[in-house]
Amino acid sequence: MLMNEDSIDVSVVMPVFNGSSFVDDAIQSIMSQTHCNFEVILIDDGSTDNSLELLKCWAEKDQRITVYEQENKGRSFTRNKGLKLAKSNLVAFMDSDDISLPMRLAKEYHFMIDNPEVVVVGGHVHIICMKGLYLAKSSHAMQHEEIEKALLFDEGFQLCQPAVMVRKSAVFEAGAYNEDLTVGEDTDLFLRMALIGKLANLSDVVLEYRHHLQNSTAQENIKSYLESIPRIKQAWQDRDMQLPSDFEHWSSLQVRSQKTDLLQWGWNALALGEKVIARYYARKLLVSREYDLMVLRFFFCVLRGR
């Protein structure tokens, strides 16, 4: 498709790091949007797989896509770079393992046009497993006050990063992404932006958010807890408030692991009658050698086919 720079009213920024397993589906979902006046900025963040080759193939197919490459700098640096490169003031973020639903850009774009006081808009998401099967629907707050309150307790999923559209001018007014943070950088930014304008979520489902083995380690939860307290305290101080003394970060209470995720995805596949996918997860569990009664019960049910 030919692209007229004057017609670009949305810039889509997608950082990619070793995303070859899912990136084709992610890009295809953007290129299939009903809203067509957009550009796509793909930034390969030092991938060691064949992600960069896949990105370049997409750029050859559609001139709305531009590919950049760099040494590994992390998500915050890469998103800030994408924002600087964006031709539009309205920027939609996307991750390389998720799927945007066809009306996402249209719905977010028109909402931002109709609500100039809003600086960030997200939407509901369907959570899917690594094989794409439906797991659950998000239950996001809709209005600014409820979203901000949840973010102040570091419930970052209330504004799902790969489902949001932001005003670039407001991002930079708020100081952009903190490149010293490796977790929670999105929540940190959105809380600073909430001091400038309004936060919102659409009632529509706009994204399929994929859970997979690379984003489900217990170590990430521990790291999240250790790094989060100072930035959460700062957000409260910015509002002349004090973080409650009995605050417990969610990551200290909820530990995910590959075993628990594989079991959840496997049982879900069996419940949906997807026996081939259930056997795939059983093989993954077999290789992990983390056996307990629940795992053995799952193996038995997979062999029975129900």
Side-chain angles (χ1 to χ4, degrees):
M1 176 180 293
L2 295 177
M3 180 173 64
N4 180 351
E5 290 195 8
D6 294 334
S7 71
I8 296 173
D9 45 34
V10 176
S11 298
V12 180
V13 172
M14 183 191 297
V16 180
F17 176 70
N18 289 349
S20 60
S21 297
F22 308 113
V23 72
D24 279 338
D25 289 342
I27 298 173
Q28 180 63 60
S29 75
I30 293 297
M31 306 319 294
S32 301
Q33 292 291 301
T34 59
H35 187 91
C36 298
N37 298 327
F38 62 84
E39 64 168 341
V40 180
I41 299 167
L42 304 175
I43 306 176
D44 184 80
D45 187 29
S47 295
T48 57
D49 63 3
N50 66 329
S51 292
L52 183 57
E53 289 84 348
L54 295 174
L55 303 187
K56 288 179 177 179
C57 287
W58 277 100
E60 291 173 0
K61 297 177 185 177
D62 197 311
Q63 73 166 43
R64 290 175 294 178
I65 299 174
T66 307
V67 176
Y68 299 87
E69 53 184 299
Q70 64 187 30
E71 295 180 358
N72 183 251
K73 297 288 187 179
R75 296 176 301 212
S76 296
F77 178 95
T78 306
R79 289 182 184 134
N80 282 340
K81 179 176 179 176
L83 284 159
K84 293 171 186 173
L85 292 167
K87 296 182 175 71
S88 173
N89 188 45
L90 292 178
V91 178
F93 286 108
M94 181 68 184
D95 283 352
S96 62
D97 48 5
D98 299 322
I99 297 172
S100 285
L101 298 188
M103 292 289 290
R104 176 198 165 183
L105 293 186
K107 289 177 178 178
E108 292 179 347
Y109 170 76
H110 289 295
F111 183 89
M112 293 294 262
I113 295 299
D114 293 340
N115 298 273
E117 76 283 2
V118 173
V119 292
V120 185
V121 64
H124 287 292
V125 304
H126 281 163
I127 301 170
I128 60 175
C129 71
M130 62 186 292
K131 287 295 187 179
L133 298 183
Y134 172 84
L135 292 170
K137 180 185 175 183
S138 64
S139 56
H140 297 153
M142 307 299 296
Q143 304 300 321
H144 171 86
E145 292 76 13
E146 292 138 340
I147 298 170
E148 183 181 33
K149 181 179 178 180
L151 295 182
L152 281 168
F153 286 97
D154 212 33
E155 297 173 16
F157 202 58
Q158 287 293 330
L159 271 175
C160 183
Q161 168 70 52
V164 302
M165 182 177 288
V166 302
R167 297 191 194 275
K168 179 173 70 170
S169 55
V171 173
F172 286 119
E173 184 181 347
Y177 286 95
N178 183 341
E179 296 176 11
D180 293 329
L181 295 177
T182 57
V183 292
E185 70 282 355
D186 48 351
T187 305
D188 173 71
L189 172 61
F190 299 153
L191 281 169
R192 284 183 276 118
M193 293 180 72
L195 300 173
I196 297 170
K198 298 294 185 181
L199 313 176
N201 272 314
L202 302 178
S203 59
D204 306 276
V205 175
V206 298
L207 184 92
E208 292 184 342
Y209 181 84
R210 192 187 306 269
H211 278 184
H212 54 86
L213 295 179
Q214 285 70 46
N215 65 14
S216 64
T217 62
Q219 289 82 355
E220 191 73 12
N221 284 344
I222 295 170
K223 191 175 185 182
S224 177
Y225 176 68
L226 294 175
E227 287 191 8
S228 293
I229 301 303
R231 62 176 172 77
I232 298 170
K233 285 183 176 179
Q234 184 60 56
W236 283 74
Q237 290 171 10
D238 290 342
R239 292 158 174 80
D240 296 321
M241 300 188 298
Q242 188 171 3
L243 181 69
S245 58
D246 59 351
F247 170 74
E248 285 190 277
H249 193 270
W250 59 264
S251 65
S252 67
L253 306 172
Q254 176 188 358
V255 178
R256 290 176 57 193
S257 68
Q258 290 193 2
K259 183 183 77 173
T260 58
D261 278 350
L262 287 168
L263 273 175
Q264 179 195 9
W265 304 339
W267 285 119
N268 182 66
L270 274 181
L272 294 174
E274 296 285 352
K275 298 177 183 179
V276 173
I277 294 178
R279 288 196 292 270
Y280 172 85
Y281 289 131
R283 289 194 297 272
K284 287 283 188 183
L285 282 165
L286 192 63
V287 171
S288 75
R289 297 183 181 278
E290 295 185 65
Y291 307 144
D292 59 20
L293 287 177
M294 285 299 296
V295 172
L296 294 174
R297 179 169 174 260
F298 175 63
F299 287 162
F300 177 71
C301 290
V302 168
L303 290 173
R304 291 178 60 199
R306 58 186 176 87

